[in-house]
Amino acid sequence: STSSKKTSDTAIRVDVHRLCNRHTFQRLFAPFFLQRRQPNLFRSMDDTTSASVKALVNGLLRVSNAMNRLSILERRTDQFAWESADNATNVVDQIQKTIDHIKYLFPEIMYTIMPEYINLWSSLYSNAEVARDWNTAYNTCIDNPVTEQKNNQIQRLVKAMVDAGALGELIDMCNCVTSSSKSEAIDFAEVAAKVLSSDNLVDRLSADESPDYLGCLYTLHVHRLEWKRAAEVMDVRFGQSLTSLTDSLHPRLVADISLSAIACSMALAQIPDKANRFIISGEMGPFPSIPMVDNREASPKSILKRGRDGTLGSNNNSSNRSAEKEDEDRLERFMLLSDTRARATRALAFRSLALDKESIPFQPSLLSNKAALETDVTIIEALATGGFFSLAHQISECIRQSKESQFQGALIKGRDIVFLALSDIINMHLVPLILPNHDADFKDNSYAKRKRSLPSLKKLVRAIEATDRSSYAICCIGGPSKPATIPSRLSSAAMELVRKLVMSCSSASCPLAMETAEAFLDLGAPSLPAWLEDCLMGVNMNNPDGIFGSKASPSSSSTVAVGDPSALCSLYMKKGMLVEACGVVSRVLTGPLGGQFRRAQAAFRLPERGNIDYVPHAKIDLLWNLIEHVLRESDLNEKVKSDLRVARLGVENALTFHFSLVKISEDGQASARAL
């Protein structure tokens, strides 16, 4: 019994010694122990006071023992590296029990100032973060009695959740906080946005697999339907990716450039108010403002103020100049939706060229927010050279929309940029590919010599699919590609792509069909493709009225081309193809179905109904005179001269037929007016 009593006394002395080292105990009782003048202070207390002091000491002793057990558990966890979620959860449960025990033993006015109680909240948050118990960690941040620790822990919580990949839980937590009455003073979603947009996290953009803080911030804004802020985040990401890009063209950074530009444009397009679809590139914030540049004039009071250098109004003038410079800089970074779309298309083009082993990408510096037209032309030429024809066309369309939205012209040397891009694609890249006799390499089927300078069949197929998906099978017939058959298949695919582009894009303002026909003949084609000649002749028109001056059908757009037989005739005459020029005149004057259509409609034509025909008699006379000169002066063989005489006879018959129908139409008009 004596030994057990000594052991008990020793245990009590250890507990008491541990209790004496607690900050709360020292703050409460140290002043009394330091008062040597009253050594019997505790003995002089009455019974009630003495009982209260004993109860207080016993409560502090119980808290000290609980804190000791908790520290042992934490040390054991660290010693055996038990940092799994289950072991951390056990520590969290013990800390919560200790906190509840302190609240049970002491009043709120006391435990809120106890250092041990405050340290328990910090330990509870740290272990909840290790256990990934995000709800407990968030409640710990909210219930922490120290405001400074609360703010720091909330910021740590946001970063820890993003690092752990718990973006879904973070978004759900933001939604719960919005409707919770417990945390009305804290907008957790805004705090999360502020943390993720801080400089120390935003600047962490590299090619490694680091946490994507800007991507998480973009997701948060999109979930809350804050489209403007989401677009600003992706704009900042675009700028950082472009700055971090090196000569090695890391695939992840290249993908970041294109994806961030596209995401910025898509987010900006979701804003309901069209007047609010703008951003200031490089700026993020909940309330963006439009840059205003005006002529600031110094007021009389500011003029009379002296600056530090003794000059009148120097401070005010310098501040005005700096403000004007800042506004002008913001105005240069002002981007509308059309500007972001154009930038996104440029970024997509850069990615396509950078990831293509057979292409040479253009400089990343050309991906500026508002590139000049000459820069866009350089990008379009690089895409066309690399075989990305649909992207080149798409970029030209976006550039034109961007310039038109700013009331600027999209003309290069008087030519529309879309027409210029399509003309370059067809005349410089596709038509030479269609004509195998234009290049000696194609004659010898030496495909390997030009393999790196030719667009691949796969790129041509993709360009055709971008125009019309129904044409995929046309250029993929024939099974696996062999070097001997690749040139012919490339030629077929290029012809199909040219046909699609001409038929869908040729208009009165974009005479692409005529440019294409001239390119074919300039490169030595013996004749024009049938579909191209029919397009220029206006064969596919719903209303072929008007002969050489055919008009469009009422359902078609006024900008759609309806053929230009007169221009085609002039082109043939310019190239010396007089037989073909006569064929154009004969076909137009005769009309469809061998003249049956014109003959059936001749008696019912009235000018007031729009039945007006145009015939270029001067051009036909010039053609006649050219044939006469060739037959009289040139040393042609008899077969060629015979063909010219037959073609001229066809023109004579067509003119006779036309004038006979004109007489019938005049008689019909006279009878109609008589009635």
Side-chain angles (χ1 to χ4, degrees):
S1 61
T2 305
S3 61
S4 63
K5 183 176 180 180
K6 291 182 180 179
T7 304
S8 177
D9 294 340
T10 304
I12 292 175
R13 285 196 298 270
V14 172
D15 293 343
V16 172
H17 179 72
R18 191 184 302 115
L19 175 62
C20 293
N21 292 328
R22 300 294 178 185
H23 294 286
T24 302
F25 185 84
Q26 292 178 359
R27 292 172 61 183
L28 289 175
F29 296 102
F32 296 98
F33 291 119
L34 294 177
Q35 294 181 2
R36 299 180 179 179
R37 297 181 180 179
Q38 299 179 359
N40 298 325
L41 179 62
F42 293 99
R43 296 180 182 179
S44 61
M45 294 181 180
D46 54 15
D47 295 339
T48 304
T49 304
S50 179
S52 300
V53 172
K54 290 181 180 180
L56 176 62
V57 173
N58 289 331
L60 292 175
L61 184 60
R62 294 170 64 181
V63 171
S64 177
N65 293 334
M67 297 284 292
N68 182 55
R69 291 193 297 270
L70 186 60
S71 62
I72 293 174
L73 179 61
E74 291 180 341
R75 286 197 303 270
R76 292 292 183 180
T77 303
D78 296 337
Q79 181 179 358
F80 294 100
W82 291 346
E83 295 186 359
S84 62
D86 296 335
N87 292 282
T89 302
N90 295 332
V91 178
V92 169
D93 294 338
Q94 292 298 324
I95 295 175
Q96 287 180 332
K97 291 179 181 179
T98 304
I99 291 176
D100 295 337
H101 189 56
I102 293 176
K103 290 182 179 180
Y104 174 76
L105 292 176
F106 304 105
E108 182 179 1
I109 194 174
M110 179 178 177
Y111 66 71
T112 52
I113 61 175
M114 293 175 58
E116 292 82 5
Y117 179 79
I118 297 173
N119 294 335
L120 282 175
W121 285 104
S122 300
S123 179
L124 177 60
Y125 170 78
S126 301
N127 287 276
E129 180 181 326
V130 174
R132 298 190 177 182
D133 188 355
W134 307 119
N135 291 327
T136 301
Y138 172 74
N139 293 329
T140 302
C141 298
I142 298 302
D143 297 335
N144 196 313
V146 183
T147 304
E148 184 178 357
Q149 289 187 5
K150 177 190 299 186
N151 298 332
N152 294 335
Q153 288 177 358
I154 289 178
Q155 296 178 8
R156 288 176 54 192
L157 175 62
V158 173
K159 184 177 180 300
M161 294 182 72
V162 174
D163 292 342
L167 181 59
E169 290 84 349
L170 178 62
I171 293 176
D172 294 338
M173 195 175 294
C174 294
N175 294 335
C176 295
V177 169
T178 303
S179 59
S180 176
S181 60
K182 182 178 180 181
S183 56
E184 293 179 352
I186 297 178
D187 187 356
F188 186 69
E190 193 62 35
V191 172
K194 184 177 180 181
V195 172
L196 294 176
S197 60
S198 60
D199 295 337
N200 56 344
L201 295 184
V202 169
D203 294 338
R204 296 184 183 180
L205 182 64
S206 60
D208 56 2
E209 299 296 333
S210 59
D212 188 4
Y213 297 106
L214 282 177
C216 295
L217 181 59
Y218 172 79
T219 306
L220 179 62
H221 288 321
V222 169
H223 185 78
R224 301 183 70 190
L225 302 182
E226 296 177 345
W227 301 111
K228 171 68 76 69
R229 301 180 69 178
E232 291 173 345
V233 171
M234 287 294 101
D235 173 72
V236 172
R237 184 190 183 96
F238 172 82
Q240 290 187 352
S241 301
L242 194 60
T243 305
S244 303
L245 191 64
T246 59
D247 296 336
S248 60
L249 299 180
H250 194 281
R252 181 179 178 183
L253 292 177
V254 172
D256 280 344
I257 290 175
S258 60
L259 291 177
S260 56
I262 294 173
C264 176
S265 178
M266 293 181 64
L268 203 62
Q270 301 302 319
I271 300 177
D273 186 8
K274 293 184 179 180
N276 199 28
R277 294 177 179 176
F278 70 90
I279 60 171
I280 309 298
S281 182
E283 295 183 6
M284 287 192 303
F287 306 106
S289 60
I290 299 178
M292 303 296 293
V293 179
D294 55 357
N295 296 324
R296 295 181 174 86
E297 296 181 358
S299 61
K301 292 184 179 180
S302 63
I303 292 177
L304 297 178
K305 293 182 179 179
R306 288 184 177 270
R308 293 184 178 180
D309 55 354
T311 58
L312 291 175
S314 59
N315 290 340
N316 187 73
N317 293 334
S318 60
S319 61
N320 285 343
R321 286 194 297 270
S322 61
E324 290 179 0
K325 185 176 180 180
E326 180 181 358
D327 285 343
E328 290 176 357
D329 178 66
R330 296 185 73 239
L331 186 61
E332 292 178 357
R333 295 183 283 113
F334 179 76
M335 299 184 66
L336 297 172
L337 176 60
S338 56
D339 297 326
T340 59
R341 285 176 175 171
R343 185 179 66 177
T345 312
R346 293 191 203 101
L348 185 60
F350 177 75
R351 176 183 177 274
S352 300
L353 291 174
L355 299 182
D356 186 27
K357 297 180 179 179
E358 299 179 356
S359 303
I360 300 176
F362 52 85
Q363 294 297 324
S365 58
L366 300 182
L367 296 173
S368 58
N369 296 334
K370 294 182 180 180
L373 285 176
E374 291 75 10
T375 300
D376 294 320
V377 170
T378 303
I379 296 176
I380 292 172
E381 291 177 353
L383 287 171
T385 304
F388 298 95
F389 304 116
S390 59
L391 257 180
H393 180 204
Q394 185 178 0
I395 280 185
S396 63
E397 293 283 358
C398 291
I399 299 306
R400 182 169 65 180
Q401 293 178 6
S402 175
K403 298 300 181 182
E404 289 177 352
S405 64
Q406 300 175 17
F407 304 100
Q408 299 177 2
L411 300 179
I412 301 294
K413 296 181 180 180
R415 306 180 73 184
D416 182 74
I417 188 171
V418 177
F419 177 45
L420 188 66
L422 292 175
S423 178
D424 179 74
I425 290 172
I426 293 176
N427 300 343
M428 303 299 296
H429 300 280
L430 294 180
V431 174
L433 195 61
I434 295 173
L435 301 175
N437 294 330
H438 177 67
D439 199 319
D441 288 340
F442 278 98
K443 290 182 179 180
D444 302 332
N445 288 330
S446 54
Y447 171 73
K449 294 181 180 180
R450 295 193 59 205
K451 182 177 180 181
R452 299 190 63 85
S453 61
L454 293 176
S456 63
L457 183 63
K458 186 176 182 181
K459 292 179 181 178
L460 289 174
V461 170
R462 288 179 178 177
I464 295 173
E465 288 179 337
T467 307
D468 187 2
R469 293 186 178 274
S470 62
S471 304
Y472 178 80
I474 295 178
C475 33
C476 292
I477 298 175
S481 300
K482 297 180 180 179
T485 61
I486 281 179
S488 60
R489 296 180 64 187
L490 282 176
S491 178
S492 301
M495 177 66 81
E496 179 65 15
L497 180 57
V498 170
R499 187 183 72 84
K500 290 293 180 182
L501 290 176
V502 170
M503 299 301 292
S504 60
C505 302
S506 184
S507 63
S509 60
C510 181
L512 193 60
M514 199 64 207
E515 288 272 343
T516 305
E518 190 170 359
F520 269 101
L521 298 181
D522 287 341
L523 293 179
S527 62
L528 294 180
W531 63 266
L532 182 57
E533 188 174 24
D534 290 343
C535 177
L536 290 171
M537 293 286 294
V539 173
N540 298 323
M541 292 169 44
N542 297 327
N543 185 14
D545 198 10
I547 308 184
F548 281 88
S550 303
K551 64 179 181 179
S553 61
S555 59
S556 63
S557 174
S558 59
T559 60
V560 176
V562 294
D564 194 353
S566 179
L568 179 60
C569 182
S570 299
L571 179 62
Y572 279 145
M573 293 167 60
K574 178 182 177 181
K575 299 299 180 181
M577 304 171 68
L578 301 181
V579 175
E580 288 78 2
C582 291
V584 171
V585 175
S586 300
R587 286 182 60 185
V588 174
L589 292 177
T590 304
L593 303 178
Q596 297 181 12
F597 180 83
R598 291 197 63 195
R599 185 179 292 107
Q601 299 292 329
F604 307 100
R605 294 169 57 82
L606 294 174
E608 53 267 25
R609 293 181 180 177
N611 302 128
I612 301 175
D613 296 333
Y614 166 71
V615 178
H617 294 286
K619 188 170 295 185
I620 296 176
D621 291 341
L622 177 61
L623 175 61
W624 186 279
N625 295 332
L626 284 175
I627 294 176
E628 285 289 338
H629 177 76
V630 170
L631 292 176
R632 184 176 61 252
E633 301 294 339
S634 62
D635 298 332
L636 298 176
N637 55 43
E638 290 300 326
K639 184 179 184 306
V640 175
K641 291 183 178 181
S642 176
D643 293 339
L644 283 174
R645 292 188 183 97
V646 172
R648 185 178 63 177
L649 181 60
V651 173
E652 293 179 7
N653 295 333
L655 285 171
T656 303
F657 175 75
H658 168 68
F659 288 128
S660 66
L661 296 182
V662 170
K663 183 66 172 66
I664 295 175
S665 299
E666 290 176 352
D667 294 341
Q669 293 176 19
S671 62
R673 283 166 176 62
L675 295 175

